[in-house]
PDB file of all heavy atoms in Angstrom:
ATOM      1  N   VAL S1048      -6.554  12.091   6.513  1.00 97.00           N
ATOM      2  CA  VAL S1048      -7.095  11.724   5.211  1.00 97.00           C
ATOM      3  C   VAL S1048      -6.795  10.248   5.003  1.00 97.00           C
ATOM      4  O   VAL S1048      -5.658   9.810   5.170  1.00 97.00           O
ATOM      5  CB  VAL S1048      -6.477  12.567   4.077  1.00 97.00           C
ATOM      6  CG1 VAL S1048      -6.981  12.090   2.722  1.00 97.00           C
ATOM      7  CG2 VAL S1048      -6.770  14.047   4.271  1.00 97.00           C
ATOM      8  N   GLU S1049      -7.837   9.495   4.650  1.00 97.00           N
ATOM      9  CA  GLU S1049      -7.656   8.076   4.375  1.00 97.00           C
ATOM     10  C   GLU S1049      -7.544   7.862   2.868  1.00 97.00           C
ATOM     11  O   GLU S1049      -8.417   8.265   2.111  1.00 97.00           O
ATOM     12  CB  GLU S1049      -8.826   7.260   4.923  1.00 97.00           C
ATOM     13  CG  GLU S1049      -8.639   5.776   4.708  1.00 97.00           C
ATOM     14  CD  GLU S1049      -9.736   4.933   5.331  1.00 97.00           C
ATOM     15  OE1 GLU S1049     -10.751   5.487   5.787  1.00 97.00           O
ATOM     16  OE2 GLU S1049      -9.561   3.695   5.345  1.00 97.00           O
ATOM     17  N   LEU S1050      -6.451   7.251   2.459  1.00 97.00           N
ATOM     18  CA  LEU S1050      -6.265   6.834   1.080  1.00 97.00           C
ATOM     19  C   LEU S1050      -6.691   5.382   1.033  1.00 97.00           C
ATOM     20  O   LEU S1050      -6.116   4.537   1.744  1.00 97.00           O
ATOM     21  CB  LEU S1050      -4.814   7.002   0.644  1.00 97.00           C
ATOM     22  CG  LEU S1050      -4.349   8.445   0.396  1.00 97.00           C
ATOM     23  CD1 LEU S1050      -4.148   9.222   1.686  1.00 97.00           C
ATOM     24  CD2 LEU S1050      -3.080   8.452  -0.410  1.00 97.00           C
ATOM     25  N   LYS S1051      -7.738   5.078   0.245  1.00 94.00           N
ATOM     26  CA  LYS S1051      -8.323   3.741   0.248  1.00 94.00           C
ATOM     27  C   LYS S1051      -8.873   3.420  -1.128  1.00 94.00           C
ATOM     28  O   LYS S1051      -9.086   4.323  -1.952  1.00 94.00           O
ATOM     29  CB  LYS S1051      -9.423   3.649   1.298  1.00 94.00           C
ATOM     30  CG  LYS S1051     -10.581   4.599   1.047  1.00 94.00           C
ATOM     31  CD  LYS S1051     -11.597   4.558   2.170  1.00 94.00           C
ATOM     32  CE  LYS S1051     -12.729   5.548   1.882  1.00 94.00           C
ATOM     33  NZ  LYS S1051     -13.710   5.551   2.949  1.00 94.00           N
ATOM     34  N   PRO S1052      -9.122   2.139  -1.395  1.00 92.00           N
ATOM     35  CA  PRO S1052      -9.697   1.774  -2.692  1.00 92.00           C
ATOM     36  C   PRO S1052     -11.007   2.531  -2.928  1.00 92.00           C
ATOM     37  O   PRO S1052     -11.817   2.696  -2.021  1.00 92.00           O
ATOM     38  CB  PRO S1052      -9.951   0.267  -2.549  1.00 92.00           C
ATOM     39  CG  PRO S1052      -8.935  -0.178  -1.535  1.00 92.00           C
ATOM     40  CD  PRO S1052      -8.839   0.967  -0.564  1.00 92.00           C
ATOM     41  N   GLY S1053     -11.171   3.045  -4.152  1.00 90.00           N
ATOM     42  CA  GLY S1053     -12.381   3.758  -4.514  1.00 90.00           C
ATOM     43  C   GLY S1053     -12.401   5.211  -4.095  1.00 90.00           C
ATOM     44  O   GLY S1053     -13.426   5.879  -4.198  1.00 90.00           O
ATOM     45  N   SER S1054     -11.278   5.740  -3.644  1.00 94.00           N
ATOM     46  CA  SER S1054     -11.210   7.119  -3.146  1.00 94.00           C
ATOM     47  C   SER S1054      -9.842   7.694  -3.496  1.00 94.00           C
ATOM     48  O   SER S1054      -9.305   7.455  -4.558  1.00 94.00           O
ATOM     49  CB  SER S1054     -11.466   7.110  -1.631  1.00 94.00           C
ATOM     50  OG  SER S1054     -11.479   8.416  -1.113  1.00 94.00           O
ATOM     51  N   TYR S1055      -9.269   8.451  -2.573  1.00 96.00           N
ATOM     52  CA  TYR S1055      -7.907   8.952  -2.761  1.00 96.00           C
ATOM     53  C   TYR S1055      -6.931   7.788  -2.671  1.00 96.00           C
ATOM     54  O   TYR S1055      -7.137   6.844  -1.898  1.00 96.00           O
ATOM     55  CB  TYR S1055      -7.528   9.956  -1.667  1.00 96.00           C
ATOM     56  CG  TYR S1055      -8.354  11.209  -1.656  1.00 96.00           C
ATOM     57  CD1 TYR S1055      -9.132  11.531  -0.554  1.00 96.00           C
ATOM     58  CD2 TYR S1055      -8.342  12.094  -2.733  1.00 96.00           C
ATOM     59  CE1 TYR S1055      -9.885  12.688  -0.522  1.00 96.00           C
ATOM     60  CE2 TYR S1055      -9.090  13.250  -2.711  1.00 96.00           C
ATOM     61  CZ  TYR S1055      -9.873  13.551  -1.601  1.00 96.00           C
ATOM     62  OH  TYR S1055     -10.616  14.688  -1.584  1.00 96.00           O
ATOM     63  N   HIS S1056      -5.845   7.856  -3.443  1.00 96.00           N
ATOM     64  CA  HIS S1056      -4.797   6.839  -3.385  1.00 96.00           C
ATOM     65  C   HIS S1056      -3.555   7.358  -4.094  1.00 96.00           C
ATOM     66  O   HIS S1056      -3.621   8.320  -4.844  1.00 96.00           O
ATOM     67  CB  HIS S1056      -5.260   5.521  -4.022  1.00 96.00           C
ATOM     68  CG  HIS S1056      -5.723   5.656  -5.436  1.00 96.00           C
ATOM     69  ND1 HIS S1056      -6.981   6.125  -5.774  1.00 96.00           N
ATOM     70  CD2 HIS S1056      -5.099   5.411  -6.613  1.00 96.00           C
ATOM     71  CE1 HIS S1056      -7.107   6.148  -7.088  1.00 96.00           C
ATOM     72  NE2 HIS S1056      -5.962   5.719  -7.624  1.00 96.00           N
ATOM     73  N   VAL S1057      -2.420   6.727  -3.812  1.00 97.00           N
ATOM     74  CA  VAL S1057      -1.229   7.002  -4.611  1.00 97.00           C
ATOM     75  C   VAL S1057      -1.229   5.973  -5.734  1.00 97.00           C
ATOM     76  O   VAL S1057      -1.740   4.862  -5.581  1.00 97.00           O
ATOM     77  CB  VAL S1057       0.090   6.942  -3.790  1.00 97.00           C
ATOM     78  CG1 VAL S1057       0.115   8.039  -2.744  1.00 97.00           C
ATOM     79  CG2 VAL S1057       0.310   5.591  -3.158  1.00 97.00           C
ATOM     80  N   MET S1058      -0.692   6.362  -6.877  1.00 96.00           N
ATOM     81  CA  MET S1058      -0.703   5.492  -8.047  1.00 96.00           C
ATOM     82  C   MET S1058       0.729   5.197  -8.463  1.00 96.00           C
ATOM     83  O   MET S1058       1.528   6.112  -8.663  1.00 96.00           O
ATOM     84  CB  MET S1058      -1.442   6.216  -9.169  1.00 96.00           C
ATOM     85  CG  MET S1058      -1.982   5.361 -10.237  1.00 96.00           C
ATOM     86  SD  MET S1058      -3.402   4.418  -9.660  1.00 96.00           S
ATOM     87  CE  MET S1058      -3.558   3.352 -11.056  1.00 96.00           C
ATOM     88  N   PHE S1059       1.065   3.919  -8.528  1.00 97.00           N
ATOM     89  CA  PHE S1059       2.352   3.467  -9.052  1.00 97.00           C
ATOM     90  C   PHE S1059       2.183   3.378 -10.565  1.00 97.00           C
ATOM     91  O   PHE S1059       1.387   2.579 -11.050  1.00 97.00           O
ATOM     92  CB  PHE S1059       2.710   2.086  -8.507  1.00 97.00           C
ATOM     93  CG  PHE S1059       2.887   2.014  -7.013  1.00 97.00           C
ATOM     94  CD1 PHE S1059       1.803   1.747  -6.170  1.00 97.00           C
ATOM     95  CD2 PHE S1059       4.133   2.189  -6.449  1.00 97.00           C
ATOM     96  CE1 PHE S1059       1.972   1.659  -4.800  1.00 97.00           C
ATOM     97  CE2 PHE S1059       4.314   2.104  -5.070  1.00 97.00           C
ATOM     98  CZ  PHE S1059       3.231   1.835  -4.246  1.00 97.00           C
ATOM     99  N   MET S1060       2.921   4.186 -11.322  1.00 97.00           N
ATOM    100  CA  MET S1060       2.778   4.244 -12.776  1.00 97.00           C
ATOM    101  C   MET S1060       4.035   3.668 -13.439  1.00 97.00           C
ATOM    102  O   MET S1060       5.149   4.026 -13.073  1.00 97.00           O
ATOM    103  CB  MET S1060       2.587   5.689 -13.234  1.00 97.00           C
ATOM    104  CG  MET S1060       1.453   6.435 -12.538  1.00 97.00           C
ATOM    105  SD  MET S1060      -0.174   5.796 -12.907  1.00 97.00           S
ATOM    106  CE  MET S1060      -0.339   6.322 -14.601  1.00 97.00           C
ATOM    107  N   GLY S1061       3.843   2.800 -14.420  1.00 97.00           N
ATOM    108  CA  GLY S1061       4.979   2.211 -15.118  1.00 97.00           C
ATOM    109  C   GLY S1061       5.734   1.220 -14.256  1.00 97.00           C
ATOM    110  O   GLY S1061       6.965   1.237 -14.198  1.00 97.00           O
ATOM    111  N   VAL S1062       5.007   0.332 -13.586  1.00 96.00           N
ATOM    112  CA  VAL S1062       5.636  -0.692 -12.745  1.00 96.00           C
ATOM    113  C   VAL S1062       6.390  -1.667 -13.647  1.00 96.00           C
ATOM    114  O   VAL S1062       5.843  -2.163 -14.631  1.00 96.00           O
ATOM    115  CB  VAL S1062       4.580  -1.417 -11.889  1.00 96.00           C
ATOM    116  CG1 VAL S1062       5.195  -2.571 -11.121  1.00 96.00           C
ATOM    117  CG2 VAL S1062       3.891  -0.435 -10.950  1.00 96.00           C
ATOM    118  N   THR S1063       7.646  -1.909 -13.312  1.00 89.00           N
ATOM    119  CA  THR S1063       8.482  -2.775 -14.143  1.00 89.00           C
ATOM    120  C   THR S1063       8.437  -4.238 -13.703  1.00 89.00           C
ATOM    121  O   THR S1063       8.591  -5.131 -14.514  1.00 89.00           O
ATOM    122  CB  THR S1063       9.936  -2.286 -14.112  1.00 89.00           C
ATOM    123  OG1 THR S1063      10.350  -2.163 -12.750  1.00 89.00           O
ATOM    124  CG2 THR S1063      10.059  -0.933 -14.802  1.00 89.00           C
ATOM    125  N   ASP S1064       8.237  -4.490 -12.423  1.00 92.00           N
ATOM    126  CA  ASP S1064       8.184  -5.848 -11.885  1.00 92.00           C
ATOM    127  C   ASP S1064       6.975  -5.894 -10.950  1.00 92.00           C
ATOM    128  O   ASP S1064       6.996  -5.308  -9.873  1.00 92.00           O
ATOM    129  CB  ASP S1064       9.487  -6.147 -11.136  1.00 92.00           C
ATOM    130  CG  ASP S1064       9.537  -7.554 -10.578  1.00 92.00           C
ATOM    131  OD1 ASP S1064       8.819  -8.433 -11.090  1.00 92.00           O
ATOM    132  OD2 ASP S1064      10.288  -7.770  -9.614  1.00 92.00           O
ATOM    133  N   GLY S1065       5.909  -6.565 -11.392  1.00 95.00           N
ATOM    134  CA  GLY S1065       4.649  -6.592 -10.642  1.00 95.00           C
ATOM    135  C   GLY S1065       4.817  -6.962  -9.180  1.00 95.00           C
ATOM    136  O   GLY S1065       5.695  -7.738  -8.812  1.00 95.00           O
ATOM    137  N   PHE S1066       3.966  -6.396  -8.344  1.00 97.00           N
ATOM    138  CA  PHE S1066       4.003  -6.635  -6.901  1.00 97.00           C
ATOM    139  C   PHE S1066       3.416  -8.012  -6.603  1.00 97.00           C
ATOM    140  O   PHE S1066       2.380  -8.388  -7.150  1.00 97.00           O
ATOM    141  CB  PHE S1066       3.209  -5.577  -6.150  1.00 97.00           C
ATOM    142  CG  PHE S1066       3.587  -4.153  -6.476  1.00 97.00           C
ATOM    143  CD1 PHE S1066       2.695  -3.125  -6.222  1.00 97.00           C
ATOM    144  CD2 PHE S1066       4.820  -3.819  -7.014  1.00 97.00           C
ATOM    145  CE1 PHE S1066       3.018  -1.804  -6.498  1.00 97.00           C
ATOM    146  CE2 PHE S1066       5.158  -2.503  -7.296  1.00 97.00           C
ATOM    147  CZ  PHE S1066       4.248  -1.494  -7.037  1.00 97.00           C
ATOM    148  N   LYS S1067       4.067  -8.727  -5.683  1.00 96.00           N
ATOM    149  CA  LYS S1067       3.632 -10.059  -5.304  1.00 96.00           C
ATOM    150  C   LYS S1067       3.181 -10.065  -3.842  1.00 96.00           C
ATOM    151  O   LYS S1067       3.807  -9.446  -2.998  1.00 96.00           O
ATOM    152  CB  LYS S1067       4.765 -11.056  -5.521  1.00 96.00           C
ATOM    153  CG  LYS S1067       5.114 -11.201  -6.999  1.00 96.00           C
ATOM    154  CD  LYS S1067       6.421 -11.932  -7.202  1.00 96.00           C
ATOM    155  CE  LYS S1067       6.837 -11.921  -8.661  1.00 96.00           C
ATOM    156  NZ  LYS S1067       7.032 -10.609  -9.233  1.00 96.00           N
ATOM    157  N   GLU S1068       2.088 -10.769  -3.593  1.00 94.00           N
ATOM    158  CA  GLU S1068       1.545 -10.834  -2.243  1.00 94.00           C
ATOM    159  C   GLU S1068       2.612 -11.253  -1.244  1.00 94.00           C
ATOM    160  O   GLU S1068       3.387 -12.172  -1.490  1.00 94.00           O
ATOM    161  CB  GLU S1068       0.371 -11.815  -2.202  1.00 94.00           C
ATOM    162  CG  GLU S1068      -0.341 -11.823  -0.872  1.00 94.00           C
ATOM    163  CD  GLU S1068      -1.610 -12.651  -0.873  1.00 94.00           C
ATOM    164  OE1 GLU S1068      -2.030 -13.155  -1.936  1.00 94.00           O
ATOM    165  OE2 GLU S1068      -2.193 -12.801   0.219  1.00 94.00           O
ATOM    166  N   GLY S1069       2.664 -10.534  -0.125  1.00 93.00           N
ATOM    167  CA  GLY S1069       3.602 -10.848   0.944  1.00 93.00           C
ATOM    168  C   GLY S1069       4.895 -10.057   0.893  1.00 93.00           C
ATOM    169  O   GLY S1069       5.611  -9.992   1.885  1.00 93.00           O
ATOM    170  N   GLU S1070       5.213  -9.449  -0.244  1.00 95.00           N
ATOM    171  CA  GLU S1070       6.449  -8.672  -0.302  1.00 95.00           C
ATOM    172  C   GLU S1070       6.209  -7.248   0.209  1.00 95.00           C
ATOM    173  O   GLU S1070       5.091  -6.855   0.502  1.00 95.00           O
ATOM    174  CB  GLU S1070       7.066  -8.685  -1.694  1.00 95.00           C
ATOM    175  CG  GLU S1070       6.377  -7.848  -2.735  1.00 95.00           C
ATOM    176  CD  GLU S1070       7.115  -7.846  -4.072  1.00 95.00           C
ATOM    177  OE1 GLU S1070       8.360  -7.984  -4.105  1.00 95.00           O
ATOM    178  OE2 GLU S1070       6.446  -7.710  -5.098  1.00 95.00           O
ATOM    179  N   THR S1071       7.288  -6.493   0.316  1.00 95.00           N
ATOM    180  CA  THR S1071       7.245  -5.109   0.765  1.00 95.00           C
ATOM    181  C   THR S1071       7.810  -4.231  -0.341  1.00 95.00           C
ATOM    182  O   THR S1071       8.849  -4.541  -0.914  1.00 95.00           O
ATOM    183  CB  THR S1071       8.091  -4.942   2.056  1.00 95.00           C
ATOM    184  OG1 THR S1071       7.549  -5.810   3.059  1.00 95.00           O
ATOM    185  CG2 THR S1071       8.044  -3.525   2.559  1.00 95.00           C
ATOM    186  N   ILE S1072       7.105  -3.130  -0.636  1.00 97.00           N
ATOM    187  CA  ILE S1072       7.521  -2.200  -1.681  1.00 97.00           C
ATOM    188  C   ILE S1072       8.021  -0.919  -1.020  1.00 97.00           C
ATOM    189  O   ILE S1072       7.271  -0.233  -0.320  1.00 97.00           O
ATOM    190  CB  ILE S1072       6.342  -1.861  -2.635  1.00 97.00           C
ATOM    191  CG1 ILE S1072       5.692  -3.136  -3.186  1.00 97.00           C
ATOM    192  CG2 ILE S1072       6.787  -0.911  -3.732  1.00 97.00           C
ATOM    193  CD1 ILE S1072       6.615  -4.046  -3.958  1.00 97.00           C
ATOM    194  N   GLU S1073       9.296  -0.617  -1.213  1.00 97.00           N
ATOM    195  CA  GLU S1073       9.878   0.605  -0.652  1.00 97.00           C
ATOM    196  C   GLU S1073       9.416   1.815  -1.453  1.00 97.00           C
ATOM    197  O   GLU S1073       9.281   1.745  -2.676  1.00 97.00           O
ATOM    198  CB  GLU S1073      11.407   0.524  -0.681  1.00 97.00           C
ATOM    199  CG  GLU S1073      11.991  -0.634   0.101  1.00 97.00           C
ATOM    200  CD  GLU S1073      11.725  -0.555   1.591  1.00 97.00           C
ATOM    201  OE1 GLU S1073      11.747   0.561   2.145  1.00 97.00           O
ATOM    202  OE2 GLU S1073      11.486  -1.616   2.201  1.00 97.00           O
ATOM    203  N   GLY S1074       9.178   2.910  -0.771  1.00 97.00           N
ATOM    204  CA  GLY S1074       8.769   4.133  -1.437  1.00 97.00           C
ATOM    205  C   GLY S1074       9.068   5.343  -0.575  1.00 97.00           C
ATOM    206  O   GLY S1074       9.463   5.210   0.592  1.00 97.00           O
ATOM    207  N   THR S1075       8.892   6.511  -1.143  1.00 97.00           N
ATOM    208  CA  THR S1075       9.070   7.767  -0.426  1.00 97.00           C
ATOM    209  C   THR S1075       7.902   8.676  -0.771  1.00 97.00           C
ATOM    210  O   THR S1075       7.656   8.951  -1.951  1.00 97.00           O
ATOM    211  CB  THR S1075      10.394   8.446  -0.831  1.00 97.00           C
ATOM    212  OG1 THR S1075      11.474   7.548  -0.538  1.00 97.00           O
ATOM    213  CG2 THR S1075      10.596   9.750  -0.083  1.00 97.00           C
ATOM    214  N   LEU S1076       7.174   9.104   0.253  1.00 98.00           N
ATOM    215  CA  LEU S1076       6.130  10.092   0.049  1.00 98.00           C
ATOM    216  C   LEU S1076       6.774  11.463   0.104  1.00 98.00           C
ATOM    217  O   LEU S1076       7.638  11.719   0.942  1.00 98.00           O
ATOM    218  CB  LEU S1076       5.061   9.993   1.142  1.00 98.00           C
ATOM    219  CG  LEU S1076       4.301   8.671   1.222  1.00 98.00           C
ATOM    220  CD1 LEU S1076       3.321   8.711   2.389  1.00 98.00           C
ATOM    221  CD2 LEU S1076       3.587   8.360  -0.078  1.00 98.00           C
TER     222      LEU S1076
END
C-alpha cells in the first residue's frame, strides 16, 4: 500500500514545532 499525497497517509495532529526541510522526524508506526 502506498501512502502518498492525495490518497492514504498518516496525519500528524497537533504539531507543536513545525517541521523544517532537511530535518528528520522520529515516529513509531
